[in-house]
Amino acid sequence: MAVTDEAIEKVKAMIVSGALVPGQRLPREEELAAELGLSRSSLREAVRALTAMRILVARQGDGTYVSSLEPGLLLEALAFASDISRGETARDLLQVRRMLEPQATALAAGRATEDDLRALRAALDRCAAAETAEEFVVHDIEFHQRIVDLAGNAVLSALLRGLSGRTQRERVLQGVEAGSALERAQREHEAILEALTSRDARLAEATAAVHIAGVERRLGGGAALPPGGAGPEGHRAGRVGPA
């Protein structure tokens, strides 16, 4: 193991063991290096790396602290990976999203309040009123994230937020006739909202799965539909715009 990697693992081990807790200031560099049996230069490199991972956070003139370690913070790198991914990697990320988001949508069907449904309706209305594809994508993200958040699992929300960011959604529009792609996406969104409004968890799961499978095919992944093949009646998957 490289010296810097060893230093990173030693600092991480302190956090895992509880010797360092979220929000705590790291000891002085020379003290921590001596405690861990590291050179100060190795410790400094480890701190830089852990700061880039958002495990540590540097405060100008105040020292370095353990971050909040919240899932959304630690998974920010996943969002970057999603935005820059191409080819097989992009399809793999979408496949993971297809495994997770339909389940979250099914959970949302049993948790959504009337206020939640009104907020989703308003997001879809904003999608319909969007004058550009980029504007549509903003409201598209809001619609999906609201649904995922209703599942009540912060880790799941953070994972799915990272798996499908704005850049990826805009890329899906490239090479298609944007108008028809947006119309299809809107129809599928309406089907998801209808399933949520009817509190039908199985239908909500199926409509979400079909919707995301279409994005996989658009990226050339040839994705299979979920078990059962065609999904809910009247909603066979196809090429879509944003998802």
Side-chain angles (χ1 to χ4, degrees), residues 175-237:
V176 302
E177 199 285 302
S180 62
L182 297 180
E183 288 174 6
R184 184 179 183 93
Q186 185 73 355
R187 288 196 303 271
E188 294 184 350
H189 287 160
E190 293 286 354
I192 293 170
L193 180 56
E194 182 178 348
L196 293 172
T197 301
S198 65
R199 316 294 182 180
D200 189 330
R202 292 185 65 183
L203 182 61
E205 179 182 354
T207 53
V210 167
H211 186 47
I212 300 165
V215 184
E216 288 184 84
R217 281 198 306 283
R218 169 65 190 95
L219 289 179
L225 288 172
E233 183 178 356
H235 291 281
R236 288 187 173 272

Side-chain angles (χ1 to χ4, degrees), residues 80-99:
F80 180 70
S82 175
D83 280 343
I84 66 170
S85 64
R86 296 290 191 279
E88 185 175 349
T89 299
R91 293 191 294 273
D92 286 348
L93 288 168
L94 272 169
Q95 185 178 56
V96 174
R97 182 185 168 199
R98 180 163 57 89
M99 294 173 182

Side-chain angles (χ1 to χ4, degrees), residues 92-201:
D92 286 348
L93 288 168
L94 272 169
Q95 185 178 56
V96 174
R97 182 185 168 199
R98 180 163 57 89
M99 294 173 182
L100 297 177
E101 189 166 330
Q103 297 296 322
T105 308
L107 288 171
R111 295 171 178 260
T113 66
E114 291 301 320
D115 285 344
D116 293 327
L117 294 172
R118 280 192 287 271
L120 289 170
R121 175 73 267 163
L124 286 194
D125 289 344
R126 288 190 287 273
C127 282
E131 296 183 356
T132 65
E134 291 74 17
E135 185 181 351
F136 182 99
V137 165
V138 170
H139 303 306
D140 170 55
I141 291 172
E142 177 192 0
F143 175 74
H144 283 274
Q145 197 59 51
R146 281 184 178 276
I147 293 173
V148 169
D149 288 344
L150 286 173
N153 186 306
V155 176
L156 181 60
S157 291
L159 275 170
L160 286 168
R161 186 179 292 110
L163 285 169
S164 183
R166 178 170 179 169
T167 300
Q168 184 196 80
R169 282 170 155 86
E170 290 178 348
R171 191 182 306 133
V172 171
L173 285 174
Q174 296 174 6
V176 302
E177 199 285 302
S180 62
L182 297 180
E183 288 174 6
R184 184 179 183 93
Q186 185 73 355
R187 288 196 303 271
E188 294 184 350
H189 287 160
E190 293 286 354
I192 293 170
L193 180 56
E194 182 178 348
L196 293 172
T197 301
S198 65
R199 316 294 182 180
D200 189 330

Side-chain angles (χ1 to χ4, degrees), residues 40 70 195 228:
R40 292 178 65 176
E70 291 294 325

